[in-house]
Amino acid sequence: MAEPERYTDTSGGCLTAVVRIPVRIVVLVLVVPVRVLWDALDAAAKAVRRSVLAPLGRALTRLARTLVLTPARHLAAGVAWLWVTLVVVPAAWLCRWLVVAPAVWLYAHVLTPLGHGVLWAVRAVGVGLVALGAGLAWLWATLVVVPGVWVWRALLAPLGRGLRGVVVGLGALLAAGAAVLGAGVAWLWRWLVAAPVVWLYAYVLAPLGRGALIGLGLLGVALTWPFVALWRWVLLPLGRGLVVLGREAAAALGVAWRVAGYVSRALWRAVARAGRLVAAPFRWGWRRLVRPAARAVRAAAREVRRIAGAALAPVRRTLRETRLAVREALAAARLSIRETRRELRTALFGSAPRP
């Protein structure tokens, strides 16, 4: 019973103390019937599952195993045997003698000699190509490489060194002119553009920007102060109160659910005990009085039926013999009537059969 103490919260102040007790009382009054009904439904569901659904499931499982799974397994085994016997074995035989054996013969007597011949031809062509490549390399080295090296060493290299000296001299002159021109442009940029811009920023734009920022700050304070006051003095306390109320309602719901569980278990325990007290005399009477009396009556009825059957057996036997005698007498009378009629027909109409 010490578990509900974890919901005891003394950090909320007087509002928590004022809200907690009424909320818990109301929630307990509302939750107890729901918990009692929930426990009743839970017990009924467990009883139905234990008494009806579990036996029904076992019966359906056994029935499905007997009527579906076992025949299906035997049917699958039969189908597999038929498949192996009628399809796989003939197909393997046909594949062996119609595909594998011709393919092996073709590979051994046709493709292998043909491959050896093609390999010999490729080797011969490769040797010829290597010889041709060696000849072309000799011609390239003799007719192209050697004259090209002579032209580079005797003509192009001295010409390139002269042109490089000319280019270096022109580059030095251009670098000196560019340095003088860059110094002049930098001096003009410093005193004609950078200095006026710095003065304009320091003495005009910066004070004007600081004044604009101060004005915007004052305007923002004037515009946001009502919203800040509304949030701080109205919405924030209201939200805190709603949070406290919701937390207390949730805690009260948990405590009330557990307390209602104790009450529900005690109530159903009392109902079960009362039912046992009421049902015990009936059970004792059924076991001690009704069932032995019923067994005695059943035994007496069986004995009376046996005695009556033994007493009526001669009567039944006499009736059976009388019935058989009457039946035999009637059969003899019918036979004599038939003979008499035949004799009269013979005496009146002769022995010839009637058309």
Side-chain angles (χ1 to χ4, degrees):
M1 296 297 292
E3 189 176 358
E5 293 297 329
R6 64 177 180 178
Y7 293 99
T8 302
D9 187 9
T10 58
S11 62
C14 61
L15 181 61
T16 303
V18 170
V19 168
R20 179 177 296 137
I21 302 302
V23 169
R24 291 191 178 184
I25 293 173
V26 172
V27 171
L28 180 61
V29 172
L30 294 177
V31 166
V32 167
V34 177
R35 183 57 188 265
V36 172
L37 182 60
W38 174 265
D39 289 338
L41 293 177
D42 183 57
K46 289 181 180 178
V48 169
R49 183 182 61 185
R50 184 173 56 253
S51 303
V52 178
L53 296 181
L56 181 61
R58 288 192 293 270
L60 291 177
T61 302
R62 186 173 300 172
L63 184 63
R65 187 183 297 114
T66 304
L67 297 181
V68 178
L69 295 180
T70 302
R73 186 165 58 249
H74 291 296
L75 180 61
V79 170
W81 182 83
L82 290 176
W83 171 262
V84 172
T85 304
L86 299 179
V87 177
V88 175
V89 174
W93 187 85
L94 292 175
C95 181
R96 178 182 178 182
W97 294 107
L98 296 181
V99 177
V100 176
V104 170
W105 183 87
L106 181 65
Y107 176 78
H109 296 86
V110 177
L111 295 180
T112 301
L114 182 63
H116 289 308
V118 171
L119 181 62
W120 181 83
V122 168
R123 287 178 181 176
V125 171
V127 171
L129 291 177
V130 168
L132 180 63
L136 292 176
W138 181 82
L139 291 176
W140 173 263
T142 304
L143 299 178
V144 177
V145 176
V146 174
V149 171
W150 181 82
V151 170
W152 171 259
R153 290 178 179 178
L155 298 176
L156 295 179
L159 182 61
R161 286 193 290 271
L163 291 176
R164 184 173 64 184
V166 174
V167 170
V168 169
L170 291 176
L173 292 176
L174 291 176
V180 173
L181 181 62
V185 171
W187 185 85
L188 293 175
W189 174 263
R190 178 181 178 183
W191 295 107
L192 295 180
V193 177
V197 169
V198 170
W199 181 86
L200 179 64
Y201 176 78
Y203 296 101
V204 177
L205 296 179
L208 183 61
R210 285 192 289 271
L213 289 176
I214 293 172
L216 290 175
L218 295 176
L219 180 61
V221 170
L223 292 176
T224 58
W225 183 83
F227 298 102
V228 173
L230 178 64
W231 169 259
R232 181 175 297 175
W233 302 107
V234 178
L235 297 179
L236 189 60
L238 182 60
R240 289 176 179 172
L242 292 177
V243 169
V244 171
L245 184 60
R247 186 177 66 247
E248 290 302 324
L253 183 61
V255 174
W257 184 258
R258 282 190 295 277
V259 174
Y262 299 148
V263 173
S264 175
R265 283 193 289 272
L267 177 62
W268 288 114
R269 228 178 262 120
V271 171
R273 289 178 182 175
R276 292 194 193 97
L277 292 176
V278 173
F282 292 99
R283 187 167 59 248
W284 182 86
W286 174 261
R287 290 181 179 178
R288 302 296 180 181
L289 299 177
V290 177
R291 188 182 294 173
R295 290 177 180 174
V297 170
R298 190 184 304 116
R302 190 180 299 114
E303 187 65 24
V304 170
R305 189 167 54 249
R306 186 181 63 79
I307 294 172
L312 293 176
V315 178
R316 285 198 297 269
R317 191 179 302 111
T318 303
L319 291 176
R320 190 181 301 112
E321 293 176 355
T322 304
R323 187 169 59 251
L324 290 176
V326 170
R327 187 177 300 170
E328 292 177 357
L330 291 176
R334 282 197 299 271
L335 183 59
S336 62
I337 292 172
R338 192 177 300 113
E339 292 294 335
T340 303
R341 188 173 51 194
R342 186 184 302 112
E343 292 177 357
L344 290 175
R345 188 170 52 249
T346 303
L348 293 176
F349 300 102
S351 61
R354 186 177 61 178

